[in-house]
Structures are given as structure tokens and as C-alpha cells.
Amino acid sequence: MRKSAKRPSTPAFGRGTGVPDPIDIHVGSRIRTRRIYLDMRQEELGRKLGLTFQQVQKYESGANRVSASRLWEIAVTKSPIPECGSNCSTR
């Protein structure tokens, strides 16, 4: 039998293509938006996470994927803890 000359289609984005996955870009965008909202520099976020600012840049641009555990660390690091004493409600 003769092999088909047709090759499987290559993905337009993702690993090995040099083009970030749109979901990675979206997640990175949300990280950047929150960091800027909190008036935090990439260097400061990187220091709190034990990363270089270059790694933070890669996460924010979607060049590197953010693992679930790292995303959790980012969320916990960047979230301010409200201090409202007995005035806080549980809702």
C-alpha cells in the first residue's frame, strides 16, 4: 500500500509552534491586570514568589504556562487580607 502524501495538520498555536495558546495569554493577562491593580512591579511579584521578573514576564505574556500550583501561589501572594475586625461579615 502507498502512504498518503497528506500530512496531519499542525496546530496554529501551542507547544513547539512558537505561538502561545490563547488560554495561556488570557491567564497571563489576568495576572498582569491584577498585579497592576495592586500597584505591584514584576520584580516585586517575582521576589514574593521566588522567581525572576523575567519569569513573571513570560507568565504574563503567555510564553510560559502557569501551573495550577503556581497560579495558587500568585493568587495568595497578591490578595490583600482585609482587616476589618468584628465588622466583617462571612458573605
Side-chain angles (χ1 to χ4, degrees), residues 77-89:
T77 300
K78 292 170 52 175
S79 299
I81 300 171
E83 295 187 29
C84 54
S86 61
N87 296 330
C88 286
S89 67

Side-chain angles (χ1 to χ4, degrees), residues 12-86:
F13 54 83
R15 197 172 178 144
T17 63
V19 180
D21 189 293
I23 294 173
D24 296 331
I25 293 171
H26 179 74
V27 170
S29 172
R30 296 297 301 260
I31 292 170
R32 182 175 193 273
T33 300
R34 182 76 172 139
R35 177 183 58 77
I36 290 171
Y37 175 77
L38 294 173
D39 196 30
M40 188 181 296
R41 296 185 335 266
Q42 288 176 335
E43 295 86 358
E44 185 180 351
L45 177 58
R47 191 172 44 254
K48 288 183 177 190
L49 296 172
L51 303 171
T52 63
F53 80 92
Q54 291 96 335
Q55 184 61 44
V56 174
Q57 277 181 333
K58 289 179 181 183
Y59 284 154
E60 290 182 354
S61 70
N64 284 8
R65 287 187 174 173
V66 183
S67 68
S69 58
R70 179 70 72 194
L71 191 57
W72 176 259
E73 288 176 20
I74 292 169
V76 171
T77 300
K78 292 170 52 175
S79 299
I81 300 171
E83 295 187 29
C84 54
S86 61

